[in-house]
């Protein structure tokens, strides 16, 4: 009777055993094919369409977006400039509502 001992390699993403049939190796790390996903959008990656930075996997569009948004690779997608834009737009809406309220009191 033949027995299969399996492999001792663990997926970097889920820490479960990776069998040869489902194994994908990128940046000298082993992944399940299903676990090889973009950190930002969770889309499934292929060896031909991924980039990584400090061990974090990204699809090419999100890697480019990260680089273009920050001007460097020092920040993540959840950076302060994005929040500042939201606050500015909320302030603009509030100012517009106040100006409309003042105008309607004269009519």
């Amino acid at each position: 009777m033949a027995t299969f001992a399996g492999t001792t390699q663990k997926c970097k993403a889920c820490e479960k055993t990776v069998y040869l049939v489902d194994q994908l190796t990128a940046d000298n790390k082993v992944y399940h094919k299903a676990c090889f996903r973009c950190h930002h959008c969770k889309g499934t990656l292929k060896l031909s369409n991924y980039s990584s930075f400090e061990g974090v996997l990204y699809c090419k569009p999100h890697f480019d977006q990260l680089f273009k948004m920050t001007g460097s690779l020092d920040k993540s997608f959840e950076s302060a400039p994005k929040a500042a834009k939201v606050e500015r737009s909320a302030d603009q809406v509030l100012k517009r509502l106040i100006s409309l309220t003042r105008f309607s009191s004269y009519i």
Side-chain angles (χ1 to χ4, degrees), residues 36-102:
F36 194 59
R37 296 182 171 272
C38 174
H39 177 74
H40 185 70
C41 70
K42 307 299 184 223
T44 304
L45 300 172
K46 297 180 182 177
L47 290 175
S48 61
N49 74 344
Y50 88 99
S51 294
S52 67
F53 180 68
E54 295 180 349
V56 180
L57 301 172
Y58 296 100
C59 59
K60 295 267 186 190
H62 285 123
F63 184 81
D64 292 343
Q65 180 184 1
L66 173 66
F67 183 74
K68 289 175 184 173
M69 182 185 291
T70 61
S72 72
L73 295 174
D74 294 334
K75 298 179 183 176
S76 68
F77 286 98
E78 293 80 26
S79 61
K82 191 174 187 179
K85 282 185 181 179
V86 172
E87 289 174 15
R88 270 188 270 132
S89 63
D91 287 343
Q92 290 172 350
V93 169
L94 184 60
K95 287 178 184 177
R96 179 74 177 145
L97 286 173
I98 291 170
S99 68
L100 290 174
T101 305
R102 289 181 184 161

Side-chain angles (χ1 to χ4, degrees), residues 5-10 17-18:
T7 178
T8 59
Q9 293 184 322
K10 303 288 182 184
T17 302
V18 180

